Amino acid sequence: MAFTSQFALTAELTRLLPQIGWAATKTGNAIMDYARDLRHSGSDIVVEEDLVNIFGRCKISDVLTSSFKTIVSGSSSNVSLVEGIFLQGGPGPTVVRALQDSPYFAMVVQISLLVWTFEAKNLATAIADALRKRREGAPSSSTLSSTPDKQTILGVLRACEAQTSAFNWNLMLDAVSTTLGYNSDRGPLDFPQFVLQGLLDMFPMVQRWPSERMIHIQTPIDEKRGSGLCALVVWAHHVLDLTVLVRSCRNNGQSAEYIKFGSADLEQVFLEEVTADDEAFISLLDAETEHLLTIRSDPDAEQGLIGTARRVPARGWGNALLADRMNGLHTYLTTSKAVIQEFQIVTCAFAFIIAKNLSRVNTSRDTVVDMAKMRGMILLDVDQYHLLQASRFLFDNPHISHGQIDSFVAQYSFKALNDNLPRPAALEAALRAVTPLPDNAGVVDIVWMTICDHARRLSVFLIALSYVVNLEDCGELMFAGFAFEKMLKHPLAQQLEEWNGRTSLRITDDAWLQAVAVPLLGHQQNVWKLPWEKICLVSGRGWSAWISTFAASDPGYTRAGSVTVGRGSPYRNGVWKSGILDSTNGYCSFKADMKKAETSGQATALRCAERVSFGTPYCGEGEDVFMVCARFRLHKAGTKQPHLQRFGYKQLQNYLWRAQLLKRCSHGSRMSETIKLAVSCATLAGFGDYLIETEEKILIYLTAHSVGARWLALASVHLVCVWSNDEGEPLGSRQILLRRDDCCFQCAIDEVAAQPGKWFIIL
């Protein structure tokens, strides 16, 4: 008997498969406690109940059940970030319940696949629309007439996504793609929204009567429309253990051979690609192939694809980006070892050239002071070893060497990084071998321009990777496959578009975290609209990236601008958030005065003039973020209570960004050494800004052996340097040198004395 509407099919399923009600079996207190836990993780108990009554009617494959539970349950991690806040990875409230309850497990597994395959916001919209449409025709008295909205669905999707991120669905998706004759990372994933709408009821119906019901999905394909074959096969066969028959339409409409997934004699799902002129529909058929229900795309409504978020391993991400850009030019270009290798080396050479021309600038001063008038701009010393390791990681090529890169650096230095550069001979030879002679020149031009444009932008990300302190721990990290166009808005990428190869390139302290955030967040949100002046940590898809100053360890041993990446989301007292921001507004003032301790001709020694200790960091909550700041206690002689100074961790990074490190000397620290101050030198005790007008060439903060005092000295220096005179010129023209324990007091002074200009030394 045919169904008159999808609502009729839904009602029949509800009769045959009673609604699943976890809450109905629990006490009021248990329900309330669990509801709070879900709310704190970003999910919602009511929406989870709605979704489990849809996805929970299916049974998950026994093989997948075993592997999914093993991988996800074993992915728990707990890393301390700042007092009271941890990076929590692995199962949270939603998944913990799912591991013990079959219907909820079925929901979590299917959502995990879908949210891995599709962008979460697009998927939430598609599910909300599908639920609304499948219930059209329901009587007003029906309990099926109410549906959750897309925003509350999104919360459940993101909770599942974060808590199951350890399960790599690419292994199944790529295997299906290869079986269907596609490159492993190029198989069709996206499918129309109306297909999702139909499958919500048709999958459980077919699972209940596998020999009496069948699903037929027919999707026209062209340049703008896809069939989603790979995603549908994984969902139907690998997840739900149904037998699937695929008939793909390729090679200009010529049908490929039939491909079967599963061992049953009768297939339960028939996926058919057709030409663009054919009709799109999803049908539920009986054993006699009679159409019980057919859902067609609505010609009067927007029936686009859901919108995929293809994921690519971070290790080797650069190769995937090249293949995506070259895909429309020539099939050979995406597989040619010569083309791939030349692209890799050109990108690395661009990064090494750019790295030699980077200057640190202070974010807060960019809009106040003309950069051309700024004095004491600091060159950024990018470590070449880390840059080489990042190159090997980005292209998953351990054989990239300095020798290969240096040959291109020699040719391309002091020139604009564009297609006017000399073309690699190996690249031209490879292209000539596969391109007809009349078209050869044009193809070579296009390919070389594509490589240069892409390499120039990717080099920004490559330098950022060299600042990821735990890069080798990121082997399981997944990036948004082709969200790379957002890198065009990175400040450094924009400068490179007009760069002549000779001028200085300006870099702020958050440049590398921004670059890492682009593929980490993908299309989840607009990276460039985030409040970067306050951001300490960003989180998406179950992974997070954060700044180096969280631990407030010794600034002399903290790499300015560096980033750490780890699995998990920030967590505190049972609450999950998607980011961490400074709670302070960026302004600092000191409640204590600073004074000169010794001047030229007087003796001094390594010591800390004011005792500074760490207080308990402040941790608060915003709408979807934690708000934090560090607390320092200044114990000034003659006062009963210590002065409390508050600084955001992003502020601390900004202060550190201005400082340079003193070189190592051969004497060691010489802790007990006493020296006589030379002319135009003075030591400082305390912290503040009243010494702005002092004429000494070298001012020395007496902060030895105290991590807290060294941070407060950096804050004092920042306060001095942001003041301007009446003409708008910076009074704080002094440069800053941080001493570490591998340099003695006298060598620190000698190194600075040999330099022009005025200086601060922080002992």
Side-chain angles (χ1 to χ4, degrees), residues 426-455:
L427 175 64
E428 287 199 321
L431 293 173
R432 281 195 297 269
V434 296
T435 309
L437 212 57
D439 302 327
N440 181 271
V443 171
V444 172
D445 288 344
I446 293 173
V447 171
W448 180 233
M449 181 177 65
T450 302
I451 286 178
C452 287
D453 288 348
H454 194 55

PDB file of all heavy atoms in Angstrom, residues 426-455:
ATOM      1  N   ALA A 426      62.193  21.286 -14.574  1.00  0.00           N
ATOM      2  CA  ALA A 426      61.507  19.998 -14.461  1.00  0.00           C
ATOM      3  C   ALA A 426      60.007  20.151 -14.669  1.00  0.00           C
ATOM      4  O   ALA A 426      59.355  19.277 -15.254  1.00  0.00           O
ATOM      5  CB  ALA A 426      61.788  19.378 -13.096  1.00  0.00           C
ATOM      6  N   LEU A 427      59.442  21.259 -14.207  1.00  0.00           N
ATOM      7  CA  LEU A 427      58.018  21.507 -14.377  1.00  0.00           C
ATOM      8  C   LEU A 427      57.678  21.698 -15.849  1.00  0.00           C
ATOM      9  O   LEU A 427      56.721  21.109 -16.368  1.00  0.00           O
ATOM     10  CB  LEU A 427      57.597  22.735 -13.570  1.00  0.00           C
ATOM     11  CG  LEU A 427      56.149  23.194 -13.726  1.00  0.00           C
ATOM     12  CD1 LEU A 427      55.202  22.132 -13.210  1.00  0.00           C
ATOM     13  CD2 LEU A 427      55.909  24.510 -13.010  1.00  0.00           C
ATOM     14  N   GLU A 428      58.447  22.511 -16.558  1.00  0.00           N
ATOM     15  CA  GLU A 428      58.184  22.743 -17.978  1.00  0.00           C
ATOM     16  C   GLU A 428      58.306  21.448 -18.771  1.00  0.00           C
ATOM     17  O   GLU A 428      57.503  21.169 -19.663  1.00  0.00           O
ATOM     18  CB  GLU A 428      59.142  23.801 -18.522  1.00  0.00           C
ATOM     19  CG  GLU A 428      58.826  25.213 -18.048  1.00  0.00           C
ATOM     20  CD  GLU A 428      59.472  26.267 -18.933  1.00  0.00           C
ATOM     21  OE1 GLU A 428      60.622  26.060 -19.356  1.00  0.00           O
ATOM     22  OE2 GLU A 428      58.810  27.282 -19.202  1.00  0.00           O
ATOM     23  N   ALA A 429      59.306  20.648 -18.460  1.00  0.00           N
ATOM     24  CA  ALA A 429      59.491  19.385 -19.180  1.00  0.00           C
ATOM     25  C   ALA A 429      58.314  18.448 -18.949  1.00  0.00           C
ATOM     26  O   ALA A 429      57.828  17.792 -19.878  1.00  0.00           O
ATOM     27  CB  ALA A 429      60.789  18.727 -18.731  1.00  0.00           C
ATOM     28  N   ALA A 430      57.833  18.381 -17.712  1.00  0.00           N
ATOM     29  CA  ALA A 430      56.699  17.505 -17.398  1.00  0.00           C
ATOM     30  C   ALA A 430      55.444  17.946 -18.129  1.00  0.00           C
ATOM     31  O   ALA A 430      54.664  17.118 -18.614  1.00  0.00           O
ATOM     32  CB  ALA A 430      56.459  17.495 -15.885  1.00  0.00           C
ATOM     33  N   LEU A 431      55.229  19.255 -18.241  1.00  0.00           N
ATOM     34  CA  LEU A 431      54.042  19.769 -18.913  1.00  0.00           C
ATOM     35  C   LEU A 431      54.124  19.567 -20.424  1.00  0.00           C
ATOM     36  O   LEU A 431      53.128  19.237 -21.075  1.00  0.00           O
ATOM     37  CB  LEU A 431      53.849  21.249 -18.576  1.00  0.00           C
ATOM     38  CG  LEU A 431      53.494  21.554 -17.125  1.00  0.00           C
ATOM     39  CD1 LEU A 431      53.499  23.055 -16.872  1.00  0.00           C
ATOM     40  CD2 LEU A 431      52.132  20.975 -16.775  1.00  0.00           C
ATOM     41  N   ARG A 432      55.278  19.759 -20.993  1.00  0.00           N
ATOM     42  CA  ARG A 432      55.424  19.571 -22.436  1.00  0.00           C
ATOM     43  C   ARG A 432      55.158  18.126 -22.838  1.00  0.00           C
ATOM     44  O   ARG A 432      54.671  17.848 -23.933  1.00  0.00           O
ATOM     45  CB  ARG A 432      56.834  19.973 -22.871  1.00  0.00           C
ATOM     46  CG  ARG A 432      57.042  21.479 -23.004  1.00  0.00           C
ATOM     47  CD  ARG A 432      58.308  21.791 -23.786  1.00  0.00           C
ATOM     48  NE  ARG A 432      59.507  21.315 -23.111  1.00  0.00           N
ATOM     49  CZ  ARG A 432      60.214  22.049 -22.256  1.00  0.00           C
ATOM     50  NH1 ARG A 432      59.847  23.295 -21.993  1.00  0.00           N
ATOM     51  NH2 ARG A 432      61.284  21.549 -21.681  1.00  0.00           N
ATOM     52  N   ALA A 433      55.450  17.207 -21.931  1.00  0.00           N
ATOM     53  CA  ALA A 433      55.292  15.794 -22.259  1.00  0.00           C
ATOM     54  C   ALA A 433      53.836  15.378 -22.430  1.00  0.00           C
ATOM     55  O   ALA A 433      53.552  14.379 -23.083  1.00  0.00           O
ATOM     56  CB  ALA A 433      55.941  14.941 -21.163  1.00  0.00           C
ATOM     57  N   VAL A 434      52.905  16.142 -21.841  1.00  0.00           N
ATOM     58  CA  VAL A 434      51.492  15.731 -21.888  1.00  0.00           C
ATOM     59  C   VAL A 434      50.598  16.756 -22.566  1.00  0.00           C
ATOM     60  O   VAL A 434      49.389  16.548 -22.665  1.00  0.00           O
ATOM     61  CB  VAL A 434      50.953  15.478 -20.456  1.00  0.00           C
ATOM     62  CG1 VAL A 434      51.676  14.319 -19.810  1.00  0.00           C
ATOM     63  CG2 VAL A 434      51.075  16.728 -19.601  1.00  0.00           C
ATOM     64  N   THR A 435      51.155  17.863 -23.047  1.00  0.00           N
ATOM     65  CA  THR A 435      50.344  18.930 -23.623  1.00  0.00           C
ATOM     66  C   THR A 435      50.626  19.048 -25.125  1.00  0.00           C
ATOM     67  O   THR A 435      51.788  19.101 -25.520  1.00  0.00           O
ATOM     68  CB  THR A 435      50.655  20.272 -22.952  1.00  0.00           C
ATOM     69  OG1 THR A 435      50.570  20.109 -21.541  1.00  0.00           O
ATOM     70  CG2 THR A 435      49.673  21.345 -23.388  1.00  0.00           C
ATOM     71  N   PRO A 436      49.592  19.082 -25.965  1.00  0.00           N
ATOM     72  CA  PRO A 436      49.807  19.267 -27.404  1.00  0.00           C
ATOM     73  C   PRO A 436      50.591  20.542 -27.681  1.00  0.00           C
ATOM     74  O   PRO A 436      50.420  21.557 -26.999  1.00  0.00           O
ATOM     75  CB  PRO A 436      48.381  19.358 -27.959  1.00  0.00           C
ATOM     76  CG  PRO A 436      47.533  18.662 -26.949  1.00  0.00           C
ATOM     77  CD  PRO A 436      48.185  18.924 -25.624  1.00  0.00           C
ATOM     78  N   LEU A 437      51.423  20.507 -28.680  1.00  0.00           N
ATOM     79  CA  LEU A 437      52.357  21.602 -28.942  1.00  0.00           C
ATOM     80  C   LEU A 437      51.694  22.969 -29.081  1.00  0.00           C
ATOM     81  O   LEU A 437      52.145  23.938 -28.480  1.00  0.00           O
ATOM     82  CB  LEU A 437      53.187  21.274 -30.191  1.00  0.00           C
ATOM     83  CG  LEU A 437      54.608  21.835 -30.178  1.00  0.00           C
ATOM     84  CD1 LEU A 437      55.346  21.344 -28.945  1.00  0.00           C
ATOM     85  CD2 LEU A 437      55.357  21.405 -31.429  1.00  0.00           C
ATOM     86  N   PRO A 438      50.591  23.107 -29.861  1.00  0.00           N
ATOM     87  CA  PRO A 438      50.014  24.459 -30.003  1.00  0.00           C
ATOM     88  C   PRO A 438      49.520  25.053 -28.689  1.00  0.00           C
ATOM     89  O   PRO A 438      49.515  26.260 -28.506  1.00  0.00           O
ATOM     90  CB  PRO A 438      48.844  24.229 -30.977  1.00  0.00           C
ATOM     91  CG  PRO A 438      49.171  22.960 -31.688  1.00  0.00           C
ATOM     92  CD  PRO A 438      49.898  22.120 -30.697  1.00  0.00           C
ATOM     93  N   ASP A 439      49.104  24.177 -27.769  1.00  0.00           N
ATOM     94  CA  ASP A 439      48.545  24.666 -26.504  1.00  0.00           C
ATOM     95  C   ASP A 439      49.584  24.721 -25.393  1.00  0.00           C
ATOM     96  O   ASP A 439      49.285  25.108 -24.273  1.00  0.00           O
ATOM     97  CB  ASP A 439      47.392  23.754 -26.049  1.00  0.00           C
ATOM     98  CG  ASP A 439      46.298  23.660 -27.087  1.00  0.00           C
ATOM     99  OD1 ASP A 439      46.080  24.673 -27.782  1.00  0.00           O
ATOM    100  OD2 ASP A 439      45.684  22.590 -27.207  1.00  0.00           O
ATOM    101  N   ASN A 440      50.797  24.312 -25.690  1.00  0.00           N
ATOM    102  CA  ASN A 440      51.790  24.126 -24.642  1.00  0.00           C
ATOM    103  C   ASN A 440      52.070  25.398 -23.846  1.00  0.00           C
ATOM    104  O   ASN A 440      52.049  25.400 -22.620  1.00  0.00           O
ATOM    105  CB  ASN A 440      53.083  23.593 -25.263  1.00  0.00           C
ATOM    106  CG  ASN A 440      54.160  23.353 -24.229  1.00  0.00           C
ATOM    107  OD1 ASN A 440      54.922  24.255 -23.925  1.00  0.00           O
ATOM    108  ND2 ASN A 440      54.200  22.146 -23.684  1.00  0.00           N
ATOM    109  N   ALA A 441      52.331  26.488 -24.563  1.00  0.00           N
ATOM    110  CA  ALA A 441      52.718  27.737 -23.891  1.00  0.00           C
ATOM    111  C   ALA A 441      51.621  28.229 -22.958  1.00  0.00           C
ATOM    112  O   ALA A 441      51.889  28.639 -21.828  1.00  0.00           O
ATOM    113  CB  ALA A 441      53.057  28.806 -24.924  1.00  0.00           C
ATOM    114  N   GLY A 442      50.377  28.183 -23.421  1.00  0.00           N
ATOM    115  CA  GLY A 442      49.272  28.663 -22.597  1.00  0.00           C
ATOM    116  C   GLY A 442      49.071  27.841 -21.352  1.00  0.00           C
ATOM    117  O   GLY A 442      48.853  28.378 -20.262  1.00  0.00           O
ATOM    118  N   VAL A 443      49.182  26.517 -21.473  1.00  0.00           N
ATOM    119  CA  VAL A 443      49.003  25.646 -20.317  1.00  0.00           C
ATOM    120  C   VAL A 443      50.117  25.867 -19.299  1.00  0.00           C
ATOM    121  O   VAL A 443      49.882  25.951 -18.093  1.00  0.00           O
ATOM    122  CB  VAL A 443      48.957  24.166 -20.753  1.00  0.00           C
ATOM    123  CG1 VAL A 443      49.002  23.247 -19.531  1.00  0.00           C
ATOM    124  CG2 VAL A 443      47.715  23.894 -21.567  1.00  0.00           C
ATOM    125  N   VAL A 444      51.350  25.984 -19.802  1.00  0.00           N
ATOM    126  CA  VAL A 444      52.483  26.217 -18.906  1.00  0.00           C
ATOM    127  C   VAL A 444      52.300  27.524 -18.146  1.00  0.00           C
ATOM    128  O   VAL A 444      52.554  27.601 -16.936  1.00  0.00           O
ATOM    129  CB  VAL A 444      53.810  26.222 -19.694  1.00  0.00           C
ATOM    130  CG1 VAL A 444      54.962  26.655 -18.787  1.00  0.00           C
ATOM    131  CG2 VAL A 444      54.097  24.850 -20.272  1.00  0.00           C
ATOM    132  N   ASP A 445      51.843  28.566 -18.835  1.00  0.00           N
ATOM    133  CA  ASP A 445      51.611  29.859 -18.181  1.00  0.00           C
ATOM    134  C   ASP A 445      50.575  29.736 -17.069  1.00  0.00           C
ATOM    135  O   ASP A 445      50.759  30.248 -15.961  1.00  0.00           O
ATOM    136  CB  ASP A 445      51.145  30.894 -19.211  1.00  0.00           C
ATOM    137  CG  ASP A 445      52.263  31.325 -20.142  1.00  0.00           C
ATOM    138  OD1 ASP A 445      53.432  31.067 -19.801  1.00  0.00           O
ATOM    139  OD2 ASP A 445      51.956  31.899 -21.207  1.00  0.00           O
ATOM    140  N   ILE A 446      49.462  29.060 -17.380  1.00  0.00           N
ATOM    141  CA  ILE A 446      48.373  28.936 -16.404  1.00  0.00           C
ATOM    142  C   ILE A 446      48.821  28.129 -15.187  1.00  0.00           C
ATOM    143  O   ILE A 446      48.570  28.505 -14.037  1.00  0.00           O
ATOM    144  CB  ILE A 446      47.133  28.283 -17.060  1.00  0.00           C
ATOM    145  CG1 ILE A 446      46.545  29.218 -18.122  1.00  0.00           C
ATOM    146  CG2 ILE A 446      46.084  27.950 -16.006  1.00  0.00           C
ATOM    147  CD1 ILE A 446      45.435  28.591 -18.934  1.00  0.00           C
ATOM    148  N   VAL A 447      49.510  27.008 -15.458  1.00  0.00           N
ATOM    149  CA  VAL A 447      49.945  26.156 -14.360  1.00  0.00           C
ATOM    150  C   VAL A 447      50.954  26.894 -13.482  1.00  0.00           C
ATOM    151  O   VAL A 447      50.876  26.850 -12.242  1.00  0.00           O
ATOM    152  CB  VAL A 447      50.552  24.850 -14.900  1.00  0.00           C
ATOM    153  CG1 VAL A 447      51.206  24.058 -13.772  1.00  0.00           C
ATOM    154  CG2 VAL A 447      49.476  24.010 -15.571  1.00  0.00           C
ATOM    155  N   TRP A 448      51.902  27.594 -14.079  1.00  0.00           N
ATOM    156  CA  TRP A 448      52.910  28.300 -13.298  1.00  0.00           C
ATOM    157  C   TRP A 448      52.291  29.438 -12.490  1.00  0.00           C
ATOM    158  O   TRP A 448      52.657  29.652 -11.329  1.00  0.00           O
ATOM    159  CB  TRP A 448      54.003  28.831 -14.224  1.00  0.00           C
ATOM    160  CG  TRP A 448      55.099  29.586 -13.525  1.00  0.00           C
ATOM    161  CD1 TRP A 448      55.548  30.835 -13.808  1.00  0.00           C
ATOM    162  CD2 TRP A 448      55.902  29.131 -12.423  1.00  0.00           C
ATOM    163  NE1 TRP A 448      56.563  31.203 -12.967  1.00  0.00           N
ATOM    164  CE2 TRP A 448      56.806  30.174 -12.094  1.00  0.00           C
ATOM    165  CE3 TRP A 448      55.928  27.959 -11.679  1.00  0.00           C
ATOM    166  CZ2 TRP A 448      57.724  30.064 -11.052  1.00  0.00           C
ATOM    167  CZ3 TRP A 448      56.848  27.855 -10.635  1.00  0.00           C
ATOM    168  CH2 TRP A 448      57.733  28.900 -10.338  1.00  0.00           C
ATOM    169  N   MET A 449      51.337  30.145 -13.062  1.00  0.00           N
ATOM    170  CA  MET A 449      50.652  31.200 -12.323  1.00  0.00           C
ATOM    171  C   MET A 449      49.877  30.609 -11.140  1.00  0.00           C
ATOM    172  O   MET A 449      49.897  31.150 -10.031  1.00  0.00           O
ATOM    173  CB  MET A 449      49.690  31.961 -13.234  1.00  0.00           C
ATOM    174  CG  MET A 449      48.948  33.097 -12.534  1.00  0.00           C
ATOM    175  SD  MET A 449      47.879  34.035 -13.652  1.00  0.00           S
ATOM    176  CE  MET A 449      46.680  32.776 -14.089  1.00  0.00           C
ATOM    177  N   THR A 450      49.214  29.461 -11.371  1.00  0.00           N
ATOM    178  CA  THR A 450      48.471  28.802 -10.302  1.00  0.00           C
ATOM    179  C   THR A 450      49.398  28.363  -9.180  1.00  0.00           C
ATOM    180  O   THR A 450      49.109  28.558  -7.994  1.00  0.00           O
ATOM    181  CB  THR A 450      47.714  27.572 -10.852  1.00  0.00           C
ATOM    182  OG1 THR A 450      46.831  28.000 -11.895  1.00  0.00           O
ATOM    183  CG2 THR A 450      46.902  26.889  -9.753  1.00  0.00           C
ATOM    184  N   ILE A 451      50.536  27.794  -9.556  1.00  0.00           N
ATOM    185  CA  ILE A 451      51.500  27.336  -8.550  1.00  0.00           C
ATOM    186  C   ILE A 451      52.038  28.517  -7.745  1.00  0.00           C
ATOM    187  O   ILE A 451      52.121  28.463  -6.515  1.00  0.00           O
ATOM    188  CB  ILE A 451      52.651  26.557  -9.228  1.00  0.00           C
ATOM    189  CG1 ILE A 451      52.157  25.178  -9.663  1.00  0.00           C
ATOM    190  CG2 ILE A 451      53.841  26.426  -8.286  1.00  0.00           C
ATOM    191  CD1 ILE A 451      53.200  24.340 -10.378  1.00  0.00           C
ATOM    192  N   CYS A 452      52.403  29.601  -8.415  1.00  0.00           N
ATOM    193  CA  CYS A 452      52.955  30.763  -7.707  1.00  0.00           C
ATOM    194  C   CYS A 452      51.933  31.383  -6.765  1.00  0.00           C
ATOM    195  O   CYS A 452      52.252  31.705  -5.610  1.00  0.00           O
ATOM    196  CB  CYS A 452      53.448  31.804  -8.714  1.00  0.00           C
ATOM    197  SG  CYS A 452      54.966  31.340  -9.557  1.00  0.00           S
ATOM    198  N   ASP A 453      50.703  31.574  -7.248  1.00  0.00           N
ATOM    199  CA  ASP A 453      49.662  32.168  -6.400  1.00  0.00           C
ATOM    200  C   ASP A 453      49.397  31.303  -5.178  1.00  0.00           C
ATOM    201  O   ASP A 453      49.295  31.791  -4.050  1.00  0.00           O
ATOM    202  CB  ASP A 453      48.371  32.349  -7.200  1.00  0.00           C
ATOM    203  CG  ASP A 453      48.469  33.469  -8.221  1.00  0.00           C
ATOM    204  OD1 ASP A 453      49.442  34.246  -8.154  1.00  0.00           O
ATOM    205  OD2 ASP A 453      47.580  33.562  -9.088  1.00  0.00           O
ATOM    206  N   HIS A 454      49.288  30.009  -5.432  1.00  0.00           N
ATOM    207  CA  HIS A 454      48.970  29.103  -4.336  1.00  0.00           C
ATOM    208  C   HIS A 454      50.145  28.965  -3.375  1.00  0.00           C
ATOM    209  O   HIS A 454      49.967  28.949  -2.153  1.00  0.00           O
ATOM    210  CB  HIS A 454      48.580  27.744  -4.908  1.00  0.00           C
ATOM    211  CG  HIS A 454      47.915  26.851  -3.909  1.00  0.00           C
ATOM    212  ND1 HIS A 454      46.788  27.235  -3.208  1.00  0.00           N
ATOM    213  CD2 HIS A 454      48.223  25.607  -3.471  1.00  0.00           C
ATOM    214  CE1 HIS A 454      46.434  26.261  -2.393  1.00  0.00           C
ATOM    215  NE2 HIS A 454      47.290  25.256  -2.529  1.00  0.00           N
ATOM    216  N   ALA A 455      51.351  28.883  -3.919  1.00  0.00           N
ATOM    217  CA  ALA A 455      52.541  28.751  -3.072  1.00  0.00           C
ATOM    218  C   ALA A 455      52.739  29.987  -2.207  1.00  0.00           C
ATOM    219  O   ALA A 455      53.140  29.881  -1.037  1.00  0.00           O
ATOM    220  CB  ALA A 455      53.771  28.507  -3.943  1.00  0.00           C
TER     221      ALA A 455
END
